[in-house]
Amino acid sequence: LNKQIDSLDMMEKMLCLQRCMEKALTQYQQDYPKALCPLLVTFSELKSLISIEDIANMLSQTVRETKKQLAQCRRELKHYQDLGTYQKRYGSETLCWLIIKLRQLGFTTKEISQKIGKSESAIRQDVSRCRKKGLPDAEQHCKKACL
């Protein structure tokens, strides 16, 4: 019985953390509407690590909505040489969530810089700016609130 209670308690904590991060991402999308496209397109290219269903769950959307949004984002990003030029157009915040998620998936700064089309030092500066925006703290905040 204790094991079942512990298991249910852990599941409740994980759901709390997921809801909290979804809320943080939703707020971020509202604050920076152009930030979702780099995340969607990059994650869709990482099919071996994350499925479209996972992306839809992360965004609290249906798979159909996510696929439609992904198609729109691909059309939009087609006009930019790489994500670095997209960031120059729409602001430094557009890549924060993507960089944070890639780091959480275990990508190195070098791998992220290659994916985005920027130097490693530029990625480090972006991470610093993202931290100042409080994005990595969103996950820490959620962990403290839920665990």
Side-chain angles (χ1 to χ4, degrees), residues 10-136:
M10 183 56 78
M11 286 174 51
E12 185 178 324
K13 290 175 183 177
M14 294 304 292
L15 284 172
C16 176
L17 183 61
Q18 182 180 353
R19 282 191 301 263
C20 183
M21 288 301 291
E22 287 169 357
K23 186 177 177 182
L25 179 57
T26 300
Q27 183 62 52
Y28 195 73
Q29 285 175 250
Q30 290 172 358
D31 294 343
Y32 308 104
K34 295 292 186 176
L36 188 59
C37 282
L39 180 83
L40 267 174
V41 171
T42 302
F43 273 27
S44 72
E45 293 169 356
L46 300 173
K47 292 176 186 161
S48 63
L49 294 176
I50 190 164
S51 68
I52 192 73
E53 290 84 5
D54 292 332
I55 297 168
N57 287 335
M58 181 176 53
L59 301 175
S60 300
Q61 297 178 348
T62 65
V63 170
R64 186 174 182 201
E65 291 170 323
T66 304
K67 285 181 178 181
K68 182 179 177 181
Q69 196 168 17
L70 176 59
Q72 291 168 344
C73 287
R74 282 190 174 133
R75 282 192 298 274
E76 182 175 339
L77 287 174
K78 193 173 12 175
H79 302 290
Y80 298 92
Q81 181 180 352
D82 55 32
L83 292 176
T85 55
Y86 181 84
Q87 183 185 33
K88 286 178 187 173
R89 171 71 172 92
Y90 293 112
S92 62
E93 296 82 8
T94 56
L95 297 185
C96 283
W97 206 278
L98 171 62
I99 292 169
I100 289 164
K101 288 295 185 183
L102 288 174
R103 288 179 67 104
Q104 288 173 347
L105 288 173
F107 284 82
T108 65
T109 303
K110 182 177 182 178
E111 292 168 327
I112 294 171
S113 72
Q114 291 169 344
K115 186 73 184 152
I116 291 176
K118 296 174 77 172
S119 68
E120 289 181 57
S121 63
I123 294 296
R124 284 189 202 95
Q125 287 175 347
D126 285 345
V127 169
S128 177
R129 285 188 202 111
C130 294
R131 285 192 177 128
K132 288 178 184 172
K133 295 279 182 190
L135 290 177

